[in-house]
Amino acid sequence: GIILYRLACHRHPFLRSNPAATLQAVSNADFTDPERVAHGIGRQLATIIRRALSSSPEKRYSSALEMKNDLMAYLHEVGLHQPEQTLREYFAHPGKVTEKLHKQILNQLKQRAFTLATNKKYSTALDRCNRALALDPNDPDIDKIIERLSQKDRWYQKPLGRLGLGLAASLALAGW
């Protein structure tokens, strides 16, 4: 959990000003939430990290395999279906692979956000948009998805929409 936190957030989760304070932070599982440290980390990876760092043994992963399965599901969602191969390529050509991954992950996040929005999974779609915006704050496709999400309830905000909803509720209660 500590290694994953450091990789995702670029800092140690428990490091404090002195060894005693660091040990106290470890024993209390006192760390800044990963989503607050690395804004584009996303809910799914942050949940994995939180679970791995939980102070309660029953809330932590029961095995490395269980954690690996969650991490693989996370990687698959962003389009990394062969992480070992990608890692080998990265070590051979870090700059080239970083650029390729950036584009691939951005496109996958946008596609996933669009699909989630279409399926009315708004909160999860916004999470994917947030992660995509962390990669490219000026992407016009993300702006379109967010605009679509912001319009999901506009019919209800219009006076006639509220009136129609109120009328339908009244008729249903009256037994019509």
Side-chain angles (χ1 to χ4, degrees):
I2 291 171
I3 292 170
L4 188 56
Y5 188 100
R6 289 188 72 176
L7 288 168
C9 301
H10 306 288
R11 69 183 211 192
H12 194 289
F14 302 115
L15 189 61
R16 300 298 187 268
S17 59
N18 62 58
T22 298
L23 285 174
Q24 185 175 11
V26 170
S27 67
N28 294 330
D30 180 21
F31 59 92
T32 304
D33 188 271
E35 286 185 279
R36 293 186 65 210
V37 176
H39 301 291
I41 193 172
R43 195 174 310 139
Q44 190 177 6
L45 183 57
T47 299
I48 293 169
I49 293 170
R50 282 187 217 107
R51 184 173 175 192
L53 293 176
S54 176
S55 63
S56 173
E58 54 276 353
K59 290 182 181 178
R60 286 193 299 258
Y61 286 99
S62 61
S63 70
L65 179 61
E66 186 181 6
M67 185 174 177
K68 177 187 176 188
N69 290 338
D70 280 356
L71 287 168
M72 292 302 285
Y74 170 78
L75 291 174
H76 283 148
E77 185 181 275
V78 294
L80 294 174
H81 302 289
Q82 297 178 328
E84 295 88 0
Q85 175 65 30
T86 303
L87 191 57
R88 280 191 292 278
E89 290 173 6
Y90 174 80
F91 286 132
H93 309 285
K96 181 179 167 184
V97 172
T98 298
E99 187 177 320
K100 176 184 161 192
L101 283 174
H102 182 92
K103 290 177 185 175
Q104 177 183 343
I105 292 170
L106 180 62
N107 287 332
Q108 185 71 19
L109 287 170
K110 290 189 297 187
Q111 289 174 1
R112 188 75 180 124
F114 182 81
T115 300
L116 289 162
T118 301
N119 293 325
K120 298 182 179 182
K121 295 183 178 185
Y122 304 119
S123 175
T124 310
L126 281 173
D127 177 69
R128 299 319 181 265
C129 287
N130 182 45
R131 288 170 53 200
L133 284 170
L135 291 172
D136 185 354
N138 301 314
D139 189 299
D141 296 334
I142 302 166
D143 291 339
K144 290 175 188 173
I145 296 168
I146 292 171
E147 176 65 25
R148 180 178 184 175
L149 289 169
S150 70
Q151 293 177 357
K152 70 177 178 63
D153 289 327
R154 282 208 181 148
W155 70 270
Y156 178 75
Q157 294 170 356
K158 296 178 183 173
L160 290 177
R162 286 194 301 268
L163 178 64
L165 184 62
L167 183 58
S170 300
L171 291 173
L173 289 173
W176 284 76

mmCIF file of all heavy atoms in Angstrom, residues 123-169:
data_model
loop_
_atom_site.group_PDB
_atom_site.id
_atom_site.type_symbol
_atom_site.label_atom_id
_atom_site.label_comp_id
_atom_site.label_asym_id
_atom_site.label_seq_id
_atom_site.Cartn_x
_atom_site.Cartn_y
_atom_site.Cartn_z
ATOM 1 N N SER A 123 -22.037 9.754 -11.568
ATOM 2 C CA SER A 123 -20.932 9.945 -10.639
ATOM 3 C C SER A 123 -19.654 9.281 -11.154
ATOM 4 O O SER A 123 -18.579 9.873 -11.112
ATOM 5 C CB SER A 123 -21.305 9.368 -9.271
ATOM 6 O OG SER A 123 -20.225 9.443 -8.393
ATOM 7 N N THR A 124 -19.784 8.066 -11.652
ATOM 8 C CA THR A 124 -18.625 7.354 -12.178
ATOM 9 C C THR A 124 -18.123 8.019 -13.451
ATOM 10 O O THR A 124 -16.915 8.104 -13.682
ATOM 11 C CB THR A 124 -18.973 5.875 -12.425
ATOM 12 O OG1 THR A 124 -19.593 5.345 -11.249
ATOM 13 C CG2 THR A 124 -17.745 5.051 -12.734
ATOM 14 N N ALA A 125 -19.040 8.519 -14.266
ATOM 15 C CA ALA A 125 -18.636 9.235 -15.482
ATOM 16 C C ALA A 125 -17.849 10.493 -15.126
ATOM 17 O O ALA A 125 -16.830 10.800 -15.761
ATOM 18 C CB ALA A 125 -19.863 9.588 -16.323
ATOM 19 N N LEU A 126 -18.295 11.220 -14.110
ATOM 20 C CA LEU A 126 -17.568 12.423 -13.676
ATOM 21 C C LEU A 126 -16.189 12.070 -13.142
ATOM 22 O O LEU A 126 -15.230 12.814 -13.352
ATOM 23 C CB LEU A 126 -18.366 13.182 -12.622
ATOM 24 C CG LEU A 126 -19.494 14.042 -13.161
ATOM 25 C CD1 LEU A 126 -20.328 14.617 -12.010
ATOM 26 C CD2 LEU A 126 -18.964 15.161 -14.038
ATOM 27 N N ASP A 127 -16.079 10.930 -12.464
ATOM 28 C CA ASP A 127 -14.766 10.492 -11.985
ATOM 29 C C ASP A 127 -13.825 10.280 -13.164
ATOM 30 O O ASP A 127 -12.670 10.697 -13.126
ATOM 31 C CB ASP A 127 -14.912 9.199 -11.173
ATOM 32 C CG ASP A 127 -13.573 8.668 -10.704
ATOM 33 O OD1 ASP A 127 -12.946 9.317 -9.842
ATOM 34 O OD2 ASP A 127 -13.149 7.606 -11.210
ATOM 35 N N ARG A 128 -14.308 9.640 -14.224
ATOM 36 C CA ARG A 128 -13.459 9.404 -15.399
ATOM 37 C C ARG A 128 -13.115 10.726 -16.083
ATOM 38 O O ARG A 128 -11.996 10.911 -16.559
ATOM 39 C CB ARG A 128 -14.125 8.457 -16.392
ATOM 40 C CG ARG A 128 -14.439 7.058 -15.883
ATOM 41 C CD ARG A 128 -13.340 6.448 -15.025
ATOM 42 N NE ARG A 128 -13.651 5.117 -14.578
ATOM 43 C CZ ARG A 128 -14.208 4.814 -13.406
ATOM 44 N NH1 ARG A 128 -14.538 5.760 -12.553
ATOM 45 N NH2 ARG A 128 -14.430 3.566 -13.070
ATOM 46 N N CYS A 129 -14.060 11.657 -16.120
ATOM 47 C CA CYS A 129 -13.779 12.982 -16.687
ATOM 48 C C CYS A 129 -12.710 13.700 -15.871
ATOM 49 O O CYS A 129 -11.811 14.335 -16.436
ATOM 50 C CB CYS A 129 -15.052 13.826 -16.731
ATOM 51 S SG CYS A 129 -16.222 13.326 -17.999
ATOM 52 N N ASN A 130 -12.791 13.603 -14.554
ATOM 53 C CA ASN A 130 -11.798 14.226 -13.691
ATOM 54 C C ASN A 130 -10.408 13.673 -13.977
ATOM 55 O O ASN A 130 -9.439 14.425 -14.082
ATOM 56 C CB ASN A 130 -12.169 14.008 -12.220
ATOM 57 C CG ASN A 130 -11.207 14.684 -11.277
ATOM 58 O OD1 ASN A 130 -10.824 15.829 -11.475
ATOM 59 N ND2 ASN A 130 -10.810 13.965 -10.247
ATOM 60 N N ARG A 131 -10.317 12.366 -14.117
ATOM 61 C CA ARG A 131 -9.022 11.755 -14.418
ATOM 62 C C ARG A 131 -8.526 12.195 -15.790
ATOM 63 O O ARG A 131 -7.338 12.463 -15.971
ATOM 64 C CB ARG A 131 -9.138 10.236 -14.345
ATOM 65 C CG ARG A 131 -9.281 9.763 -12.909
ATOM 66 C CD ARG A 131 -9.641 8.312 -12.770
ATOM 67 N NE ARG A 131 -8.760 7.426 -13.487
ATOM 68 C CZ ARG A 131 -9.099 6.187 -13.811
ATOM 69 N NH1 ARG A 131 -10.283 5.708 -13.488
ATOM 70 N NH2 ARG A 131 -8.256 5.416 -14.459
ATOM 71 N N ALA A 132 -9.430 12.277 -16.763
ATOM 72 C CA ALA A 132 -9.039 12.711 -18.107
ATOM 73 C C ALA A 132 -8.585 14.165 -18.089
ATOM 74 O O ALA A 132 -7.596 14.524 -18.741
ATOM 75 C CB ALA A 132 -10.196 12.517 -19.084
ATOM 76 N N LEU A 133 -9.277 15.007 -17.337
ATOM 77 C CA LEU A 133 -8.887 16.416 -17.240
ATOM 78 C C LEU A 133 -7.528 16.585 -16.579
ATOM 79 O O LEU A 133 -6.800 17.526 -16.890
ATOM 80 C CB LEU A 133 -9.941 17.219 -16.482
ATOM 81 C CG LEU A 133 -11.210 17.534 -17.263
ATOM 82 C CD1 LEU A 133 -12.269 18.118 -16.334
ATOM 83 C CD2 LEU A 133 -10.920 18.469 -18.421
ATOM 84 N N ALA A 134 -7.180 15.681 -15.674
ATOM 85 C CA ALA A 134 -5.854 15.733 -15.065
ATOM 86 C C ALA A 134 -4.773 15.467 -16.111
ATOM 87 O O ALA A 134 -3.677 16.002 -16.022
ATOM 88 C CB ALA A 134 -5.749 14.717 -13.924
ATOM 89 N N LEU A 135 -5.101 14.653 -17.109
ATOM 90 C CA LEU A 135 -4.153 14.374 -18.186
ATOM 91 C C LEU A 135 -4.120 15.487 -19.223
ATOM 92 O O LEU A 135 -3.065 15.806 -19.766
ATOM 93 C CB LEU A 135 -4.503 13.050 -18.877
ATOM 94 C CG LEU A 135 -4.291 11.787 -18.052
ATOM 95 C CD1 LEU A 135 -4.850 10.578 -18.791
ATOM 96 C CD2 LEU A 135 -2.817 11.591 -17.739
ATOM 97 N N ASP A 136 -5.303 16.054 -19.524
ATOM 98 C CA ASP A 136 -5.380 17.121 -20.526
ATOM 99 C C ASP A 136 -6.498 18.086 -20.155
ATOM 100 O O ASP A 136 -7.662 17.853 -20.498
ATOM 101 C CB ASP A 136 -5.626 16.536 -21.913
ATOM 102 C CG ASP A 136 -5.586 17.594 -23.006
ATOM 103 O OD1 ASP A 136 -5.485 18.807 -22.696
ATOM 104 O OD2 ASP A 136 -5.658 17.215 -24.194
ATOM 105 N N PRO A 137 -6.180 19.155 -19.433
ATOM 106 C CA PRO A 137 -7.202 20.091 -18.962
ATOM 107 C C PRO A 137 -7.954 20.828 -20.067
ATOM 108 O O PRO A 137 -9.001 21.411 -19.814
ATOM 109 C CB PRO A 137 -6.415 21.097 -18.115
ATOM 110 C CG PRO A 137 -5.065 20.543 -17.941
ATOM 111 C CD PRO A 137 -4.848 19.515 -18.988
ATOM 112 N N ASN A 138 -7.448 20.806 -21.300
ATOM 113 C CA ASN A 138 -8.069 21.568 -22.386
ATOM 114 C C ASN A 138 -8.723 20.701 -23.444
ATOM 115 O O ASN A 138 -8.990 21.178 -24.543
ATOM 116 C CB ASN A 138 -7.012 22.470 -23.039
ATOM 117 C CG ASN A 138 -6.407 23.421 -22.036
ATOM 118 O OD1 ASN A 138 -7.110 24.046 -21.266
ATOM 119 N ND2 ASN A 138 -5.091 23.515 -22.022
ATOM 120 N N ASP A 139 -8.990 19.447 -23.142
ATOM 121 C CA ASP A 139 -9.559 18.550 -24.134
ATOM 122 C C ASP A 139 -11.032 18.895 -24.382
ATOM 123 O O ASP A 139 -11.852 18.830 -23.468
ATOM 124 C CB ASP A 139 -9.432 17.099 -23.664
ATOM 125 C CG ASP A 139 -9.799 16.117 -24.742
ATOM 126 O OD1 ASP A 139 -10.959 16.151 -25.214
ATOM 127 O OD2 ASP A 139 -8.922 15.327 -25.133
ATOM 128 N N PRO A 140 -11.401 19.260 -25.613
ATOM 129 C CA PRO A 140 -12.780 19.659 -25.893
ATOM 130 C C PRO A 140 -13.776 18.498 -25.783
ATOM 131 O O PRO A 140 -14.949 18.722 -25.474
ATOM 132 C CB PRO A 140 -12.725 20.198 -27.329
ATOM 133 C CG PRO A 140 -11.484 19.594 -27.913
ATOM 134 C CD PRO A 140 -10.537 19.378 -26.785
ATOM 135 N N ASP A 141 -13.324 17.272 -26.005
ATOM 136 C CA ASP A 141 -14.220 16.121 -25.884
ATOM 137 C C ASP A 141 -14.703 15.951 -24.444
ATOM 138 O O ASP A 141 -15.859 15.607 -24.202
ATOM 139 C CB ASP A 141 -13.528 14.833 -26.339
ATOM 140 C CG ASP A 141 -13.172 14.850 -27.822
ATOM 141 O OD1 ASP A 141 -13.852 15.562 -28.591
ATOM 142 O OD2 ASP A 141 -12.210 14.156 -28.196
ATOM 143 N N ILE A 142 -13.823 16.186 -23.509
ATOM 144 C CA ILE A 142 -14.195 16.065 -22.101
ATOM 145 C C ILE A 142 -15.211 17.144 -21.748
ATOM 146 O O ILE A 142 -16.186 16.885 -21.036
ATOM 147 C CB ILE A 142 -12.960 16.154 -21.188
ATOM 148 C CG1 ILE A 142 -11.947 15.062 -21.560
ATOM 149 C CG2 ILE A 142 -13.361 15.999 -19.722
ATOM 150 C CD1 ILE A 142 -10.577 15.262 -20.968
ATOM 151 N N ASP A 143 -14.994 18.357 -22.274
ATOM 152 C CA ASP A 143 -15.952 19.434 -22.032
ATOM 153 C C ASP A 143 -17.343 19.051 -22.536
ATOM 154 O O ASP A 143 -18.345 19.332 -21.882
ATOM 155 C CB ASP A 143 -15.503 20.724 -22.722
ATOM 156 C CG ASP A 143 -14.265 21.330 -22.080
ATOM 157 O OD1 ASP A 143 -13.986 21.004 -20.909
ATOM 158 O OD2 ASP A 143 -13.579 22.117 -22.757
ATOM 159 N N LYS A 144 -17.416 18.380 -23.677
ATOM 160 C CA LYS A 144 -18.710 17.957 -24.230
ATOM 161 C C LYS A 144 -19.385 16.919 -23.331
ATOM 162 O O LYS A 144 -20.592 16.964 -23.114
ATOM 163 C CB LYS A 144 -18.526 17.382 -25.637
ATOM 164 C CG LYS A 144 -18.160 18.420 -26.667
ATOM 165 C CD LYS A 144 -17.879 17.780 -28.008
ATOM 166 C CE LYS A 144 -17.320 18.798 -28.985
ATOM 167 N NZ LYS A 144 -16.870 18.195 -30.248
ATOM 168 N N ILE A 145 -18.595 16.004 -22.816
ATOM 169 C CA ILE A 145 -19.160 14.978 -21.924
ATOM 170 C C ILE A 145 -19.667 15.629 -20.647
ATOM 171 O O ILE A 145 -20.775 15.320 -20.173
ATOM 172 C CB ILE A 145 -18.115 13.886 -21.610
ATOM 173 C CG1 ILE A 145 -17.734 13.134 -22.893
ATOM 174 C CG2 ILE A 145 -18.652 12.909 -20.560
ATOM 175 C CD1 ILE A 145 -16.511 12.241 -22.750
ATOM 176 N N ILE A 146 -18.900 16.544 -20.099
ATOM 177 C CA ILE A 146 -19.322 17.230 -18.877
ATOM 178 C C ILE A 146 -20.581 18.055 -19.133
ATOM 179 O O ILE A 146 -21.496 18.079 -18.306
ATOM 180 C CB ILE A 146 -18.177 18.089 -18.311
ATOM 181 C CG1 ILE A 146 -17.059 17.169 -17.808
ATOM 182 C CG2 ILE A 146 -18.667 19.013 -17.193
ATOM 183 C CD1 ILE A 146 -15.792 17.877 -17.415
ATOM 184 N N GLU A 147 -20.650 18.706 -20.268
ATOM 185 C CA GLU A 147 -21.856 19.468 -20.629
ATOM 186 C C GLU A 147 -23.063 18.541 -20.708
ATOM 187 O O GLU A 147 -24.139 18.861 -20.206
ATOM 188 C CB GLU A 147 -21.650 20.188 -21.964
ATOM 189 C CG GLU A 147 -22.875 20.931 -22.460
ATOM 190 C CD GLU A 147 -23.295 22.088 -21.570
ATOM 191 O OE1 GLU A 147 -22.448 22.639 -20.841
ATOM 192 O OE2 GLU A 147 -24.499 22.439 -21.603
ATOM 193 N N ARG A 148 -22.873 17.381 -21.285
ATOM 194 C CA ARG A 148 -23.956 16.398 -21.368
ATOM 195 C C ARG A 148 -24.393 15.964 -19.971
ATOM 196 O O ARG A 148 -25.585 15.832 -19.694
ATOM 197 C CB ARG A 148 -23.498 15.196 -22.179
ATOM 198 C CG ARG A 148 -24.540 14.131 -22.328
ATOM 199 C CD ARG A 148 -24.039 13.002 -23.169
ATOM 200 N NE ARG A 148 -25.118 12.058 -23.352
ATOM 201 C CZ ARG A 148 -25.052 11.009 -24.109
ATOM 202 N NH1 ARG A 148 -23.969 10.764 -24.790
ATOM 203 N NH2 ARG A 148 -26.065 10.194 -24.217
ATOM 204 N N LEU A 149 -23.438 15.750 -19.099
ATOM 205 C CA LEU A 149 -23.761 15.360 -17.726
ATOM 206 C C LEU A 149 -24.489 16.472 -16.990
ATOM 207 O O LEU A 149 -25.390 16.213 -16.205
ATOM 208 C CB LEU A 149 -22.486 14.983 -16.968
ATOM 209 C CG LEU A 149 -21.834 13.672 -17.385
ATOM 210 C CD1 LEU A 149 -20.443 13.545 -16.770
ATOM 211 C CD2 LEU A 149 -22.694 12.489 -16.993
ATOM 212 N N SER A 150 -24.112 17.713 -17.251
ATOM 213 C CA SER A 150 -24.752 18.833 -16.555
ATOM 214 C C SER A 150 -26.176 19.065 -17.039
ATOM 215 O O SER A 150 -26.969 19.682 -16.351
ATOM 216 C CB SER A 150 -23.921 20.100 -16.706
ATOM 217 O OG SER A 150 -23.970 20.574 -18.029
ATOM 218 N N GLN A 151 -26.536 18.547 -18.196
ATOM 219 C CA GLN A 151 -27.878 18.717 -18.736
ATOM 220 C C GLN A 151 -28.823 17.587 -18.345
ATOM 221 O O GLN A 151 -29.998 17.630 -18.664
ATOM 222 C CB GLN A 151 -27.828 18.806 -20.261
ATOM 223 C CG GLN A 151 -27.152 20.041 -20.759
ATOM 224 C CD GLN A 151 -27.046 20.070 -22.267
ATOM 225 O OE1 GLN A 151 -27.439 19.140 -22.951
ATOM 226 N NE2 GLN A 151 -26.510 21.155 -22.780
ATOM 227 N N LYS A 152 -28.351 16.608 -17.623
ATOM 228 C CA LYS A 152 -29.151 15.425 -17.343
ATOM 229 C C LYS A 152 -30.444 15.731 -16.605
ATOM 230 O O LYS A 152 -31.432 15.057 -16.785
ATOM 231 C CB LYS A 152 -28.341 14.386 -16.585
ATOM 232 C CG LYS A 152 -28.020 14.757 -15.152
ATOM 233 C CD LYS A 152 -27.287 13.636 -14.471
ATOM 234 C CE LYS A 152 -26.906 13.992 -13.067
ATOM 235 N NZ LYS A 152 -27.998 14.237 -12.162
ATOM 236 N N ASP A 153 -30.468 16.757 -15.760
ATOM 237 C CA ASP A 153 -31.668 17.046 -14.977
ATOM 238 C C ASP A 153 -32.316 18.378 -15.346
ATOM 239 O O ASP A 153 -33.173 18.857 -14.633
ATOM 240 C CB ASP A 153 -31.328 17.059 -13.485
ATOM 241 C CG ASP A 153 -31.025 15.675 -12.971
ATOM 242 O OD1 ASP A 153 -31.632 14.727 -13.475
ATOM 243 O OD2 ASP A 153 -30.180 15.548 -12.062
ATOM 244 N N ARG A 154 -31.922 18.957 -16.461
ATOM 245 C CA ARG A 154 -32.443 20.291 -16.788
ATOM 246 C C ARG A 154 -33.954 20.320 -17.003
ATOM 247 O O ARG A 154 -34.595 21.302 -16.699
ATOM 248 C CB ARG A 154 -31.742 20.847 -18.028
ATOM 249 C CG ARG A 154 -30.385 21.373 -17.668
ATOM 250 C CD ARG A 154 -29.985 22.459 -18.597
ATOM 251 N NE ARG A 154 -28.666 22.893 -18.192
ATOM 252 C CZ ARG A 154 -27.767 23.338 -19.005
ATOM 253 N NH1 ARG A 154 -28.020 23.424 -20.280
ATOM 254 N NH2 ARG A 154 -26.603 23.717 -18.566
ATOM 255 N N TRP A 155 -34.529 19.224 -17.519
ATOM 256 C CA TRP A 155 -35.979 19.232 -17.739
ATOM 257 C C TRP A 155 -36.711 19.480 -16.435
ATOM 258 O O TRP A 155 -37.714 20.157 -16.388
ATOM 259 C CB TRP A 155 -36.442 17.907 -18.362
ATOM 260 C CG TRP A 155 -36.343 16.755 -17.401
ATOM 261 C CD1 TRP A 155 -35.290 15.937 -17.215
ATOM 262 C CD2 TRP A 155 -37.350 16.336 -16.473
ATOM 263 N NE1 TRP A 155 -35.552 15.026 -16.216
ATOM 264 C CE2 TRP A 155 -36.824 15.237 -15.750
ATOM 265 C CE3 TRP A 155 -38.647 16.773 -16.181
ATOM 266 C CZ2 TRP A 155 -37.532 14.576 -14.765
ATOM 267 C CZ3 TRP A 155 -39.349 16.102 -15.190
ATOM 268 C CH2 TRP A 155 -38.797 15.019 -14.502
ATOM 269 N N TYR A 156 -36.187 18.971 -15.322
ATOM 270 C CA TYR A 156 -36.825 19.139 -14.034
ATOM 271 C C TYR A 156 -36.669 20.567 -13.521
ATOM 272 O O TYR A 156 -37.517 21.064 -12.802
ATOM 273 C CB TYR A 156 -36.233 18.150 -13.022
ATOM 274 C CG TYR A 156 -36.830 18.318 -11.643
ATOM 275 C CD1 TYR A 156 -38.110 17.861 -11.372
ATOM 276 C CD2 TYR A 156 -36.138 18.972 -10.635
ATOM 277 C CE1 TYR A 156 -38.677 18.032 -10.124
ATOM 278 C CE2 TYR A 156 -36.690 19.144 -9.386
ATOM 279 C CZ TYR A 156 -37.953 18.673 -9.135
ATOM 280 O OH TYR A 156 -38.512 18.846 -7.907
ATOM 281 N N GLN A 157 -35.605 21.258 -13.929
ATOM 282 C CA GLN A 157 -35.352 22.606 -13.449
ATOM 283 C C GLN A 157 -36.261 23.629 -14.122
ATOM 284 O O GLN A 157 -36.429 24.723 -13.617
ATOM 285 C CB GLN A 157 -33.882 22.970 -13.687
ATOM 286 C CG GLN A 157 -32.946 22.129 -12.842
ATOM 287 C CD GLN A 157 -31.496 22.316 -13.251
ATOM 288 O OE1 GLN A 157 -31.197 23.015 -14.204
ATOM 289 N NE2 GLN A 157 -30.602 21.672 -12.530
ATOM 290 N N LYS A 158 -36.846 23.277 -15.255
ATOM 291 C CA LYS A 158 -37.749 24.205 -15.937
ATOM 292 C C LYS A 158 -39.094 24.227 -15.211
ATOM 293 O O LYS A 158 -39.571 23.191 -14.754
ATOM 294 C CB LYS A 158 -37.949 23.771 -17.390
ATOM 295 C CG LYS A 158 -36.660 23.844 -18.196
ATOM 296 C CD LYS A 158 -36.885 23.356 -19.598
ATOM 297 C CE LYS A 158 -35.566 23.371 -20.356
ATOM 298 N NZ LYS A 158 -35.676 22.759 -21.660
ATOM 299 N N PRO A 159 -39.747 25.396 -15.127
ATOM 300 C CA PRO A 159 -41.019 25.481 -14.399
ATOM 301 C C PRO A 159 -42.063 24.484 -14.902
ATOM 302 O O PRO A 159 -42.739 23.856 -14.109
ATOM 303 C CB PRO A 159 -41.468 26.925 -14.625
ATOM 304 C CG PRO A 159 -40.201 27.668 -14.900
ATOM 305 C CD PRO A 159 -39.290 26.702 -15.587
ATOM 306 N N LEU A 160 -42.193 24.325 -16.207
ATOM 307 C CA LEU A 160 -43.187 23.385 -16.718
ATOM 308 C C LEU A 160 -42.819 21.949 -16.382
ATOM 309 O O LEU A 160 -43.690 21.115 -16.161
ATOM 310 C CB LEU A 160 -43.366 23.567 -18.231
ATOM 311 C CG LEU A 160 -44.063 24.853 -18.660
ATOM 312 C CD1 LEU A 160 -44.124 24.950 -20.178
ATOM 313 C CD2 LEU A 160 -45.465 24.926 -18.073
ATOM 314 N N GLY A 161 -41.552 21.653 -16.323
ATOM 315 C CA GLY A 161 -41.105 20.318 -15.934
ATOM 316 C C GLY A 161 -41.487 20.017 -14.496
ATOM 317 O O GLY A 161 -42.013 18.953 -14.184
ATOM 318 N N ARG A 162 -41.302 20.983 -13.608
ATOM 319 C CA ARG A 162 -41.677 20.798 -12.202
ATOM 320 C C ARG A 162 -43.192 20.709 -12.080
ATOM 321 O O ARG A 162 -43.713 19.896 -11.333
ATOM 322 C CB ARG A 162 -41.138 21.951 -11.355
ATOM 323 C CG ARG A 162 -39.655 21.889 -11.118
ATOM 324 C CD ARG A 162 -39.239 22.839 -10.004
ATOM 325 N NE ARG A 162 -39.569 24.224 -10.270
ATOM 326 C CZ ARG A 162 -38.752 25.088 -10.858
ATOM 327 N NH1 ARG A 162 -37.559 24.718 -11.239
ATOM 328 N NH2 ARG A 162 -39.117 26.327 -11.066
ATOM 329 N N LEU A 163 -43.886 21.563 -12.824
ATOM 330 C CA LEU A 163 -45.344 21.542 -12.794
ATOM 331 C C LEU A 163 -45.861 20.200 -13.277
ATOM 332 O O LEU A 163 -46.746 19.595 -12.662
ATOM 333 C CB LEU A 163 -45.919 22.679 -13.649
ATOM 334 C CG LEU A 163 -47.440 22.748 -13.751
ATOM 335 C CD1 LEU A 163 -48.037 23.027 -12.385
ATOM 336 C CD2 LEU A 163 -47.859 23.803 -14.749
ATOM 337 N N GLY A 164 -45.294 19.712 -14.376
ATOM 338 C CA GLY A 164 -45.717 18.415 -14.917
ATOM 339 C C GLY A 164 -45.444 17.284 -13.951
ATOM 340 O O GLY A 164 -46.271 16.399 -13.756
ATOM 341 N N LEU A 165 -44.311 17.321 -13.307
ATOM 342 C CA LEU A 165 -43.965 16.292 -12.329
ATOM 343 C C LEU A 165 -44.920 16.380 -11.136
ATOM 344 O O LEU A 165 -45.409 15.361 -10.650
ATOM 345 C CB LEU A 165 -42.520 16.452 -11.877
ATOM 346 C CG LEU A 165 -41.994 15.392 -10.922
ATOM 347 C CD1 LEU A 165 -42.025 14.017 -11.583
ATOM 348 C CD2 LEU A 165 -40.579 15.717 -10.492
ATOM 349 N N GLY A 166 -45.203 17.587 -10.678
ATOM 350 C CA GLY A 166 -46.125 17.770 -9.554
ATOM 351 C C GLY A 166 -47.528 17.305 -9.911
ATOM 352 O O GLY A 166 -48.206 16.654 -9.110
ATOM 353 N N LEU A 167 -47.974 17.619 -11.116
ATOM 354 C CA LEU A 167 -49.289 17.193 -11.573
ATOM 355 C C LEU A 167 -49.364 15.672 -11.665
ATOM 356 O O LEU A 167 -50.344 15.061 -11.214
ATOM 357 C CB LEU A 167 -49.603 17.821 -12.935
ATOM 358 C CG LEU A 167 -50.979 17.529 -13.531
ATOM 359 C CD1 LEU A 167 -52.086 17.980 -12.596
ATOM 360 C CD2 LEU A 167 -51.126 18.196 -14.875
ATOM 361 N N ALA A 168 -48.336 15.056 -12.204
ATOM 362 C CA ALA A 168 -48.314 13.588 -12.322
ATOM 363 C C ALA A 168 -48.341 12.940 -10.943
ATOM 364 O O ALA A 168 -49.056 11.965 -10.721
ATOM 365 C CB ALA A 168 -47.066 13.137 -13.095
ATOM 366 N N ALA A 169 -47.592 13.494 -9.987
ATOM 367 C CA ALA A 169 -47.593 12.956 -8.624
ATOM 368 C C ALA A 169 -48.951 13.111 -7.976
ATOM 369 O O ALA A 169 -49.446 12.196 -7.309
ATOM 370 C CB ALA A 169 -46.516 13.632 -7.798
#
